Amino acid sequence: MTTTPDRVSAPPRAPRGVTRLAGTTPGTLTLLALMMIVVSTLGGVISAWSVQTRADSLEELATRSEPLAFAAQEVYRALSDADASAASAFLGGGVEPAELRSRYQTDIAQAQSALAIVTDGGAQAPELAEALHTLSVQLPVYTGLVETARTNNRQGAPVGAAYLREASELMRAQLLPAAERIYRAENANVVRDQDASDGLPVLEVLFGLLTLACIVVAGRFLSRRTNRTFNLGLAVAGGAAGLSLLWIVVASTVVVLGVADSRTDGSAQVDVLVDARVATLNARGDETLTLVARGSGQSFEQHYDEVTTELGGESGSDGLLGRAAAAATSQSVRDAVNSAVENNRAWREAHEKIRQADDAGDYTGAVTLTLSGEPGNAAAAFDQLDADLVRAISEARAAFAQEVAGARGALTGLAPGSLLLALLGAAAAGWGMWQRLKEYR
Amino acid sequence: MRSRVLGAGVSAFALLAAACSPAPNTSAVPVGSVGAPMPAEASELTSAPSSSASSAPSCDPTASLRPGGLPAAGQMPAGSTMAEIQARGRLIAGVDQNTYLMGFRNPFSGEIEGFDVAMAREIAEAIFGDPNKIQYKVLTSEDRVAALERGDVDLVVRTMTVTCERLEKINFSSVYYEAGQRVLVNRTSGISGVDGLGGKKVCATKGSTSLAAVANHPVKPVAVSVPDWTDCLVMLQQGQVDAISTDDTILAGLAAQDPYTEVVGARFTTEPYGVGIPKGNEDFVRFVNAVLNRMRGDGSWASAYQDWLNTLGPAPAPPAPRYRD
């Protein structure tokens, strides 16, 4: 602030000129007028810039980072499901069932489409380049291996199973880890944009209060020196500054609360639910691959135990599902998660039966229990559990979108509005002081 | 930012937009070569695995225990290993599901079939009078001895060569088939036998005698190990290895799945196959030997050969059993 008068008067003589001016009433009036104009204009520019930054972050959140995080999640989900479907189709023996084949094809199409979205959006992010490269280069290789496996199967050649194992290895060792890295990065962007948009409006409020303080000081000086208690210019300037301050405080409060709600009602829940869904898909893949390996699948079964414990804890209602239930803030999400817990229990019981049958030597029975879609069997329970999680995720995403839209709405017109009010205040203050200065001519 | 640009006029907008929008990165498409996918746990061998010839004490591996009389099916002598199996209600057999003709999963039915599997079913038949009272556990080459030592399986019938090294940990039945190691290559490779494999990549399964034979061969091939034999065929088809070397029985099964491959060269090892049985279960060894003896005599060995291995030529005489008593 101390440098601003320098810039206004002629630079070389400025210090002496300022002290001489400050000594006289018109000089003080001039300085006060300049100060109000500068503080108000500067405050307006800073507020407008700050509000615009906040609005940009919210726009980024609503139109870019959250949709990208969802698309990245979709890549992971579709790939994981494709792998489980391919394994299930193989497990049945003979020509694969039409519905598993079409599920696999849909998964691959969805993965490709979601990958295109992520690639498009992540083209500028160098940290994702490697993972995106892995996915775009290796996904066609994966589908090629699955088709080779299928062709060999139809010829009755056992080498088909080896191609399928190689495909699954590629999926688990390269594609899924790359998809997970992308999801984590996109999710971090959601958090980043939320952090960037829910800060307190410290700078705006500070300049608003400073502007008001300048106006009050100028008004008191005027009333002491000139015996005129009312100055229209200063009144308008004070009104504009007060209005701007109020607007900023109210709008920012709405945004801060909205973004906080978008976390608790939206992204925080989506986070847990997506993890739950990934665990569900992994567990299903492990369940199927244990049987495909036929007796040498202990590592898959161990991994199944790990992911199901992660999913539902020891009881089936703790773990990720327990956290999702605790985090749920709306009835619809709570209902979906409760239903997911029930279906997870049913699945666990079905899995017990599968393991008992397989361990007792009834391999065919175990395969039937795994693939049959009858109620109470593993395939049915898994499908329902997955559907519950999808429902919960889309509910939580809708809540997120609604909160962010509300926050964005609160900022409508605020950036130009606060700038205009600041300029109006500066002009009014200058005009009001000019009325008094004129009297000294 | 965009609104400001718009305000500045159409020409300025066009200029600015051209300058600001990221140009599509067409110059650096970062694809040199795509790493070929590999079967899980495939690896190139850096040091030769211990060979049965060099490290194990010398012994007479193919001499097994002399069989006693064969009890009637369903009436196993009390206290015997067979009685335990009978009480359980099923024979647990360690087999392969990836070796066409010997032990493989029929893709149409999902059932496990093959010459090895026929032997196991014959043993189940002898215990229960029903060849279907059997539970298959799929083992990789590497798992076979460990599964027997843990008692996970009653027996292993999985192209398992009788060696002195393995005899220290497990029992073997009398020899039920005599195979020999040869080489499988692409028809256009120009390789005509094991002597042409110097410096070439040659695939075999981990824990097999074939892998040791490849790694220790004087022409110095580069041995590549994988879990299952079909993994070798995948790598050959994908051009990641130049040849597969193992028993002619296994190679015949692989060649049957790919008409562009052929088995070349003469046998350079002899691989006598025995049924693996846990140490201690000597009564079961004698029982299995009695079953094998019956199969040699009543034509069921020849019919199993006819069912699965006739691509190798007309049925030879079954290997004569040798016993150490």
Side-chain angles (χ1 to χ4, degrees):
Chain A
M1 280 316 301
T2 51
T3 57
T4 35
D6 302 358
R7 224 185 286 153
V8 175
S9 45
R13 288 178 291 125
R16 254 190 302 144
V18 168
T19 19
R20 205 175 57 226
L21 258 178
T24 62
T25 302
T28 311
L29 285 179
T30 309
L31 278 181
L32 279 171
L34 282 177
M35 202 160 83
M36 280 188 293
I37 291 169
V38 167
V39 169
S40 177
T41 309
L42 198 63
V45 169
I46 284 175
S47 293
W49 169 78
S50 169
V51 167
Q52 193 56 47
T53 309
R54 195 189 286 268
D56 288 347
S57 291
L58 281 175
E59 186 184 350
E60 179 89 359
L61 186 61
T63 62
R64 217 178 123 85
S65 48
E66 198 274 345
L68 278 182
F70 184 73
Q73 184 265 135
E74 188 61 17
V75 172
Y76 190 101
R77 196 246 5 127
L79 289 178
S80 183
D81 198 56
D83 201 41
S85 299
S88 295
F90 171 81
L91 185 58
V95 172
E96 74 273 278
E99 68 268 25
L100 280 175
R101 175 71 185 163
S102 84
R103 180 169 178 158
Y104 166 81
Q105 284 173 323
T106 312
D107 283 333
I108 293 297
Q110 285 172 341
Q112 282 284 20
S113 150
L115 182 58
I117 295 171
V118 174
T119 309
D120 202 27
Q124 309 301 317
E127 73 273 14
L128 292 183
E130 201 193 329
L132 285 170
H133 180 244
T134 301
L135 283 175
S136 55
V137 169
Q138 298 293 352
L139 185 52
V141 176
Y142 172 82
T143 55
L145 290 175
V146 170
E147 295 312 314
T148 311
R150 190 161 164 261
T151 309
N152 276 295
N153 265 342
R154 292 203 76 135
Q155 312 255 339
V159 73
Y163 273 101
L164 193 71
R165 280 199 303 274
E166 191 179 58
S168 200
E169 168 71 12
L170 179 65
M171 178 60 80
R172 288 176 169 234
Q174 293 198 38
L175 289 168
L176 289 180
E180 183 170 359
R181 276 204 298 283
I182 292 171
Y183 173 67
R184 300 280 166 227
E186 297 294 359
N187 210 34
N189 287 346
V190 171
V191 174
R192 178 204 63 199
D193 289 336
Q194 282 172 329
D195 287 346
S197 55
D198 76 344
L200 295 172
V202 178
L203 217 53
E204 297 96 305
V205 169
L206 217 61
F207 267 96
L209 290 176
L210 196 60
T211 309
L212 279 175
C214 288
I215 293 166
V216 168
V217 167
R220 287 183 62 172
F221 181 81
L222 276 185
S223 65
R224 267 209 311 275
R225 291 291 167 89
T226 64
N227 287 333
R228 303 204 197 186
T229 48
F230 183 77
N231 181 306
L232 181 63
L234 286 189
V236 169
L243 185 63
S244 171
L245 185 60
L246 189 69
W247 190 0
I248 285 175
V249 167
V250 169
S252 300
T253 309
V254 172
V255 170
V256 170
L257 293 178
V259 172
D261 284 347
S262 84
R263 284 182 214 265
T264 51
D265 297 347
S267 54
Q269 294 183 40
V270 172
D271 225 16
V272 178
L273 289 166
V274 164
D275 282 348
R277 188 148 188 238
V278 166
T280 304
L281 294 167
N282 281 339
R284 178 62 178 170
D286 290 330
E287 182 171 64
T288 318
L289 289 171
T290 304
L291 288 173
V292 170
R294 197 157 183 170
S296 52
Q298 289 86 355
S299 62
F300 293 120
E301 183 57 21
Q302 269 169 22
H303 193 247
Y304 172 91
D305 282 339
E306 282 167 27
V307 286
T308 43
T309 309
E310 193 191 327
L311 177 63
E314 293 297 327
S315 63
S317 53
D318 298 333
L320 289 167
L321 289 176
R323 276 169 54 200
T329 48
S330 76
Q331 195 55 42
S332 48
V333 173
R334 208 169 289 127
D335 288 345
V337 173
N338 285 340
S339 168
V341 168
E342 284 311 307
N343 286 317
N344 185 37
R345 283 220 182 92
W347 186 15
R348 281 190 174 198
E349 280 167 23
H351 184 78
E352 278 304 305
K353 277 190 225 153
I354 292 170
R355 290 322 314 156
Q356 277 167 13
D358 190 28
D359 291 343
D362 182 11
Y363 180 76
T364 320
V367 170
T368 312
L369 282 172
T370 306
L371 297 182
S372 141
E374 278 174 40
N377 281 349
F382 159 74
D383 282 342
Q384 281 165 16
L385 170 57
D386 192 43
D388 288 335
L389 292 175
V390 170
R391 195 149 49 93
I393 289 171
S394 65
E395 292 283 349
R397 282 192 78 212
F400 174 89
Q402 200 186 340
E403 297 297 349
V404 173
R408 289 179 73 191
L411 292 182
T412 311
L414 180 53
S418 59
L419 187 61
L420 278 179
L421 283 173
L423 293 178
L424 174 69
W431 177 78
M433 297 305 267
W434 177 245
Q435 298 310 311
R436 296 290 80 77
L437 265 175
K438 273 198 300 191
E439 292 162 2
Y440 289 91
R441 293 256 159 133
Chain B
M1 145 116 202
R2 186 160 296 164
S3 59
R4 255 180 279 149
V5 176
L6 266 171
V10 177
S11 61
F13 172 73
L15 262 175
L16 273 175
C20 294
S21 68
N25 188 358
T26 49
S27 56
V29 180
V31 180
S33 66
V34 180
M38 299 267 270
E41 295 169 47
S43 66
E44 213 165 279
L45 234 58
T46 47
S47 64
S50 71
S51 131
S52 53
S54 61
S55 64
S58 63
C59 70
D60 184 5
T62 55
S64 185
L65 299 170
R66 191 173 298 281
L70 198 58
Q75 291 165 16
M76 297 299 117
S80 67
T81 312
M82 295 77 81
E84 279 174 40
I85 297 169
Q86 192 187 334
R88 186 202 295 139
R90 65 186 192 279
L91 173 72
I92 302 179
V95 294
D96 194 356
Q97 67 171 349
N98 291 293
T99 305
Y100 191 45
L101 305 180
M102 295 304 283
F104 68 100
R105 178 184 181 276
N106 182 330
F108 297 118
S109 62
E111 295 293 324
I112 293 188
E113 300 171 352
F115 184 76
D116 279 341
V117 176
M119 299 293 132
R121 287 171 64 83
E122 200 71 34
I123 294 163
E125 162 96 59
I127 298 174
F128 298 100
D130 177 357
N132 292 319
K133 294 208 164 170
I134 189 163
Q135 175 185 358
Y136 299 113
K137 280 218 159 135
V138 170
L139 301 176
T140 60
S141 301
E142 197 186 12
D143 282 342
R144 293 175 297 193
V145 172
L148 285 167
E149 285 184 311
R150 286 194 303 267
D152 287 352
V153 292
D154 296 323
L155 50 81
V156 168
V157 209
R158 193 198 176 284
T159 59
M160 193 171 186
T161 305
V162 180
T163 66
C164 291
E165 191 183 19
R166 288 173 180 159
L167 262 173
E168 290 187 339
K169 296 171 180 165
I170 59 170
N171 274 314
F172 276 108
S173 72
S174 60
V175 175
Y176 67 88
Y177 189 84
E178 207 151 73
Q181 189 163 351
R182 295 178 70 191
V183 175
L184 182 83
V185 291
N186 286 313
R187 280 184 191 277
T188 53
S189 69
I191 297 170
S192 59
V194 68
D195 295 330
L197 294 179
K200 304 277 187 195
K201 289 191 176 176
V202 181
C203 185
T205 60
K206 203 174 177 191
S208 67
T209 50
S210 308
L211 184 69
V214 167
N216 293 317
H217 199 276
V219 301
K220 299 206 183 309
V222 178
V224 175
S225 81
V226 292
D228 287 303
W229 288 112
T230 39
D231 296 331
C232 277
L233 184 57
V234 168
M235 291 188 84
L236 184 73
Q237 289 180 345
Q238 291 174 339
Q240 301 193 65
V241 297
D242 302 298
I244 304 169
S245 179
T246 182
D247 311 345
D248 45 7
T249 45
I250 299 170
L251 293 182
L254 295 177
Q257 299 177 60
D258 184 347
Y260 293 92
T261 61
E262 62 178 345
V263 180
V264 295
R267 285 184 172 188
F268 60 96
T269 66
T270 308
E271 307 289 335
Y273 290 165
V275 179
I277 291 165
K279 264 264 187 273
N281 297 353
E282 273 75 22
D283 54 345
F284 195 40
V285 178
R286 291 180 199 276
F287 178 84
V288 168
N289 282 343
V291 175
L292 293 176
N293 245 355
R294 190 175 71 184
M295 289 183 75
R296 289 184 187 99
D298 69 1
S300 49
W301 186 93
S303 97
Y305 184 95
Q306 201 53 42
D307 284 349
W308 301 111
L309 299 179
N310 60 350
T311 54
L312 291 170
R322 297 177 59 244
Y323 302 112
R324 64 176 190 271
D325 287 302

